[in-house]
Amino acid sequence: MKPEINKTLQTLAQELIQRFSPLLKDEYEQSRLNSWGTLLLLASMDLDKAVENLIEENNMTKEFLEKYAKGIKDKKINQDIDFLIQEKNIKYDLSRLDELNQRYRGLLVRVQTYFETEQNLVALKDSWKILRVMHDHRKVSHLLTLLLSLIHI
């Protein structure tokens, strides 16, 4: 059976932090190794859900833009919305979805700015719902338990 990448990264991080870092005499080098271990832990968290999360965020943002595009009088924003939501042949690899996600996020910020100047509270509230989901996908509070368990070992 093939090991899960999440578990492999977590095990590697624990080995670096718990077994190898204490063997180093130089505090700076210990700190660097511990930082690498922490980065591995962060990378391992919810890796399996990353693609699913990006698809959800992209779909939510696309639906929001489609819903509110009619109410936007700025031609450049409307052109950018049309161009982005018409994009086809989307591959479902992580890097491609993340690139698309960054484009959606940038456009969402521009549209939010527009709605702030227009004082469209309904659209702003809907955009905040998307931001809440995006924030929830990226929060690190779920790491605290894992990090505390490493400290107490």
Side-chain angles (χ1 to χ4, degrees):
M1 185 158 80
K2 191 174 178 182
E4 293 179 29
I5 191 165
N6 289 20
K7 297 294 182 195
T8 303
L9 290 173
Q10 288 173 4
T11 301
L12 178 58
Q14 289 174 335
E15 290 291 308
L16 289 175
I17 293 169
Q18 295 171 1
R19 297 187 79 193
F20 294 106
S21 180
L23 298 175
L24 297 173
K25 302 297 182 213
D26 186 315
E27 285 184 28
Y28 175 74
E29 294 300 327
Q30 274 187 338
S31 175
R32 283 186 58 204
L33 193 58
N34 288 339
S35 294
W36 279 106
T38 303
L39 287 173
L40 285 170
L41 283 173
L42 289 170
S44 72
M45 302 311 287
D46 295 328
L47 188 61
D48 290 336
K49 293 196 68 89
V51 169
E52 183 180 317
N53 290 345
L54 287 171
I55 290 170
E56 178 185 9
E57 291 173 18
N58 291 350
N59 287 339
M60 288 177 70
T61 307
K62 182 178 180 178
E63 290 168 11
F64 171 81
L65 294 172
E66 288 173 331
K67 178 178 179 180
Y68 289 103
K70 296 175 206 104
I72 297 174
K73 296 176 181 92
D74 184 307
K75 288 184 181 184
K76 175 66 174 140
I77 292 177
N78 275 319
Q79 288 173 342
D80 293 344
I81 289 172
D82 288 340
F83 181 77
L84 191 56
I85 62 176
Q86 298 302 323
E87 183 153 339
K88 301 290 182 218
N89 299 324
I90 297 171
K91 297 179 182 175
Y92 288 101
D93 58 72
L94 186 59
S95 61
R96 178 68 179 110
L97 286 170
D98 186 52
E99 176 191 325
L100 183 61
N101 186 265
Q102 295 305 315
R103 291 171 56 204
Y104 272 126
R105 285 169 165 261
L107 192 51
L108 180 63
V109 169
R110 288 176 51 209
V111 170
Q112 282 180 300
T113 302
Y114 175 85
F115 285 138
E116 285 174 359
T117 59
E118 295 292 314
Q119 298 182 355
N120 185 335
L121 295 180
V122 174
L124 286 172
K125 286 179 183 179
D126 281 350
S127 72
W128 296 335
K129 291 174 187 174
I130 297 168
L131 291 176
R132 193 172 298 120
V133 170
M134 289 177 173
H135 173 74
D136 190 50
H137 288 163
R138 285 159 183 80
K139 68 184 179 185
V140 294
S141 61
H142 60 282
L143 291 175
L144 295 178
T145 308
L146 179 59
L147 293 174
L148 285 173
S149 70
L150 290 173
I151 293 170
H152 297 308
I153 290 180

